[in-house]
Amino acid sequence: MNQVNGYIQVEYREENEAFLIYYPPKESGEKPDYRECSEYLKAHGFENYDNQAMRQLILGDTQAEMSLGVGDGLDFIESMTYKMSLDKMKATCRFYPPSKGGNCLDVKDIIGELGKKNIKYGIDQDLILEFMNNRVYFTDFVIAEGKPAVHGVDDKIEYFFNTNPSLKPKHNEDGSVDYHNLNNISQVHEGDLLARLHKGDKGSNGKDVTGKDIPCRTIKTLRLEPGKNLRISEDQTEMYTEVTGHVSLVNDKVFVSDVYEVSGDVDNSVGNIAYNGNVHIHGSVRGGFQVIAKGDIVIDGVVEDALIQSDEGQIIVQCGIHGMKKGLLDAGSNIITKFIENASVFSGGYVEAGTITQSDVSASDDIIVSERKGTITGGVIRAGGMVEAQTIGSAMGTTTQIEVGMAPDKKERYVKLQREITVLSQNINKLKPIIKTYNKYITEGKQLDQKNALYLQKVAGELTKNTKELEERQNEFNALHQELITSRHSKVDIRKDVFPGVSITISDVCFNVKEKRSFCRFEMKNGDIVVSNL
């Protein structure tokens, strides 16, 4: 411990005259603060002295002294002050010298002073002993420190397959999109290691300087869940597949299923398909047929006016969709295809296509039309996220609606709630006057017959029911409305041209394109749709 800061000390001499002795700082130490010096002197009964002279004294660089006048001649002991951090994890102290001839604190005295402030834990004994040998004043020392809680490490599961369901197609350098080598399906073989559980560390509690325990947080514990076609090791830390098939992660659970394969077209020779797993069709799906699966559906050919439905997975159509105004694709996850023509498409994830023509396409996330032509012409396009295309509309003024800002299912619910709130409000406004009339009749002291009493009871019940339903729907509507107006990701990017006949709705604001625009972005700012250059 090296002396750093300058300090002052009082000495009594002949006839009880007190002198202030100033010891300047050494090396890079700080000079004492005037206010702190004044408080030190006041604490020991010195107030009538030349303040200006004292101020000049402590600004000097050499040892000096000045008279404080006649005092009581009684030597005073060494003292200390201390303060504790707000989190009680650190206590600092400053020592002040005794008068020349006054007594110094010993280890017992210092420990006792700390105990008066409830400082019991983490006291730096070495620092106290070092102070005994080399007394340093007017300097802060960290005399006690708590022990922080050591927070543990959560259990972690390491997966040895692709767990990202949003893997998008590869875009080639020439602007085309590779729909044939998507690698979106994680194929596994019997005996493959799928997951490994890494056990965490519980951590340890800490203590603050008052000795109070500081608990560490409770760690998240995990375990490998056994399921169909899966095997767990004896120590419960590794998971293996017992079959060759497809693996996916759904709601933090591993699923392995065999893939149902159709070597050719889905037509009269095959019939409709309903499978509780993944389906791979190496041909096309002809008009009027259905393919319904729980997992992913991959179709190497085209889809005609057919129904393709995946409850939890994605739908990949390598060649495109000729919907003929009857075709329907409905996926719990993403839909990826070469083109969409005269079809209805509903995606719980994103939609990526080369072109979209005269179709009703809805996606909870983005809709990306990214081929070199990349056109959206006609129909209604709804996206919870953004819409991006090379061209939207046509020079012929084809009516094309683009809506972004909320997932389509939520937007539908939002509109339905508006209608229900209106009806409920109208019902309440009709029932209230009836209740009011009957209440007035009763307050006048008149008696209701049984028929009117039952009718009043019925009306009151309907009013209570409608009021409760109105409140529930209003709360749900307000939450959806807030989500609608605060959507940050909602925008429409035009990489080439957008034509008149196109209407763009973001949240609940509509913008009708009246003139051709190029290389632009439509987005919501301050409650209005603004157009900026890309």
Side-chain angles (χ1 to χ4, degrees):
M1 185 185 298
N2 296 319
Q3 181 173 315
V4 177
N5 296 342
Y7 68 98
I8 59 174
Q9 189 174 25
V10 174
E11 181 181 12
Y12 287 103
R13 297 179 185 171
E14 297 178 359
E15 298 181 352
N16 293 336
E17 184 177 3
F19 285 82
L20 176 65
I21 305 172
Y22 166 62
Y23 300 93
K26 294 182 180 180
E27 299 179 357
S28 59
E30 298 177 356
K31 294 180 179 180
D33 177 73
Y34 169 77
R35 181 178 297 177
E36 188 176 20
C37 291
S38 298
E39 291 174 354
Y40 168 76
L41 292 173
K42 184 178 179 181
H44 296 294
F46 298 101
E47 294 186 70
N48 298 319
Y49 56 88
D50 189 339
N51 286 285
Q52 188 61 34
M54 194 268 279
R55 190 186 297 272
Q56 292 298 320
L57 185 76
I58 63 176
L59 291 175
D61 296 320
T62 59
Q63 182 174 329
E65 63 182 45
M66 61 173 279
S67 174
L68 295 173
V70 177
D72 58 13
L74 299 175
D75 285 317
F76 50 86
I77 67 170
E78 194 177 55
S79 60
M80 63 184 289
T81 61
Y82 28 76
K83 59 183 178 180
M84 194 185 306
S85 61
L86 291 176
D87 60 2
K88 298 183 179 180
M89 291 299 290
K90 182 185 292 186
T92 58
C93 71
R94 288 173 79 89
F95 292 94
Y96 296 94
S99 61
K100 285 255 185 175
N103 293 328
C104 291
L105 300 171
D106 59 18
V107 174
K108 184 178 179 181
D109 294 330
I110 294 174
I111 297 297
E113 288 295 316
L114 293 175
K116 291 178 183 178
K117 288 294 183 180
N118 201 28
I119 299 171
K120 305 173 182 177
Y121 180 84
I123 296 174
D124 192 338
Q125 302 283 354
D126 291 338
L127 182 143
I128 295 174
L129 292 174
E130 190 173 354
F131 177 77
M132 295 292 103
N133 297 322
N134 182 23
R135 296 181 182 271
V136 177
Y137 301 114
F138 284 65
T139 299
D140 280 332
F141 296 110
V142 178
I143 199 163
E145 284 189 284
K147 182 180 74 171
V150 178
H151 294 300
V153 178
D154 292 337
D155 289 358
K156 179 183 177 182
I157 296 178
E158 179 184 12
Y159 297 100
F160 298 92
F161 58 92
N162 172 34
T163 60
N164 179 13
S166 299
L167 185 63
K168 297 187 177 182
K170 177 184 177 182
H171 292 249
N172 299 320
E173 292 182 0
D174 62 0
S176 62
V177 180
D178 186 357
Y179 292 97
H180 296 275
N181 299 301
L182 294 171
N183 296 319
N184 278 28
I185 296 179
S186 297
Q187 298 283 349
V188 291
H189 297 87
E190 182 180 352
D192 284 353
L193 174 64
L194 302 182
R196 179 177 289 127
L197 173 63
H198 298 275
K199 299 297 291 183
D201 181 1
K202 292 183 178 180
S204 60
N205 294 338
K207 282 183 182 292
D208 63 23
V209 295
T210 69
K212 181 181 178 182
D213 284 334
I214 302 172
C216 61
R217 71 174 181 85
T218 303
I219 68 168
K220 181 180 180 182
T221 58
L222 302 172
R223 68 189 186 100
L224 297 176
E225 297 282 352
K228 183 180 178 182
N229 301 325
L230 296 170
R231 176 176 61 85
I232 307 296
S233 63
E234 289 185 6
D235 61 3
Q236 304 293 304
T237 62
E238 291 184 336
M239 175 184 289
Y240 299 85
T241 175
E242 293 184 323
V243 298
T244 295
H246 169 267
V247 60
S248 59
L249 187 67
V250 180
N251 296 327
D252 295 326
K253 291 187 177 181
V254 178
F255 291 89
V256 176
S257 62
D258 300 332
V259 178
Y260 180 83
E261 296 198 40
V262 178
S263 59
D265 295 343
V266 175
D267 53 18
N268 289 331
S269 63
V270 175
N272 293 333
I273 296 173
Y275 186 67
N276 190 26
N278 304 292
V279 175
H280 189 177
I281 298 167
H282 294 274
S284 299
V285 180
R286 300 304 176 186
F289 289 93
Q290 297 181 1
V291 178
I292 300 175
K294 188 173 183 179
D296 296 324
I297 300 175
V298 178
I299 301 168
D300 292 346
V302 298
V303 172
E304 297 178 352
D305 52 326
L307 168 64
I308 313 296
Q309 180 179 318
S310 168
D311 294 339
E312 298 177 357
Q314 55 190 350
I315 298 174
I316 301 168
V317 184
Q318 304 277 11
C319 293
I321 306 163
H322 289 291
M324 304 176 195
K325 298 183 179 180
K326 296 180 181 179
L328 171 62
L329 272 69
D330 187 357
S333 182
N334 312 313
I335 294 178
I336 302 169
T337 183
K338 185 76 173 176
F339 61 84
I340 302 172
E341 180 179 303
N342 289 301
S344 296
V345 173
F346 302 94
S347 166
Y350 67 82
V351 171
E352 180 146 352
T355 60
I356 300 177
T357 305
Q358 296 294 347
S359 295
D360 186 348
V361 180
S362 298
S364 294
D365 201 348
D366 301 338
I367 296 178
I368 307 297
V369 184
S370 52
E371 281 278 22
R372 282 172 292 181
K373 292 183 179 180
T375 60
I376 298 175
T377 309
V380 180
I381 309 299
R382 303 180 183 91
M386 66 175 290
V387 171
E388 178 182 322
Q390 297 291 325
T391 301
I392 299 181
S394 70
M396 301 297 292
T398 305
T399 300
T400 308
Q401 298 178 39
I402 309 293
E403 299 178 12
V404 297
M406 180 180 283
D409 58 337
K410 290 186 178 180
K411 187 67 176 290
E412 183 179 347
R413 178 62 178 164
Y414 179 84
V415 174
K416 184 179 180 182
L417 284 170
Q418 281 182 309
R419 293 196 297 265
E420 291 178 352
I421 288 170
T422 300
V423 172
L424 288 168
S425 297
Q426 290 173 349
N427 290 344
I428 290 171
N429 290 335
K430 291 177 182 177
L431 294 171
K432 280 183 175 180
I434 299 173
I435 299 290
K436 184 177 180 181
T437 300
Y438 273 94
N439 285 338
K440 181 180 178 182
Y441 189 88
I442 293 170
T443 56
E444 291 174 354
K446 299 176 182 179
Q447 295 291 327
L448 295 178
D449 58 26
Q450 184 179 5
K451 180 179 179 181
N452 281 297
L454 290 173
Y455 179 69
L456 176 60
Q457 185 179 358
K458 177 183 176 182
V459 171
E462 289 179 357
L463 179 60
T464 300
K465 178 184 176 184
N466 279 265
T467 301
K468 182 180 179 181
E469 289 180 356
L470 177 61
E471 182 181 0
E472 292 173 348
R473 282 158 177 74
Q474 190 68 57
N475 289 337
E476 185 181 357
F477 176 84
N478 291 340
L480 288 175
H481 184 70
Q482 187 64 27
E483 180 179 343
L484 185 66
I485 63 177
T486 57
S487 177
R488 298 179 180 177
H489 183 53
S490 305
K491 58 187 176 182
V492 179
D493 281 356
I494 313 297
R495 298 295 176 183
K496 191 175 180 184
D497 301 317
V498 59
F499 293 93
V502 174
S503 67
I504 295 175
T505 301
I506 301 179
S507 296
D508 54 355
V509 180
C510 183
F511 182 99
N512 293 311
V513 178
K514 298 186 182 302
E515 59 182 6
K516 178 183 174 183
R517 295 175 180 266
S518 302
F519 310 105
C520 57
R521 168 176 290 171
F522 295 81
E523 59 186 331
M524 182 78 76
K525 288 185 178 180
N526 299 321
D528 290 317
I529 296 177
V530 298
V531 186
S532 57
N533 294 327
L534 286 177

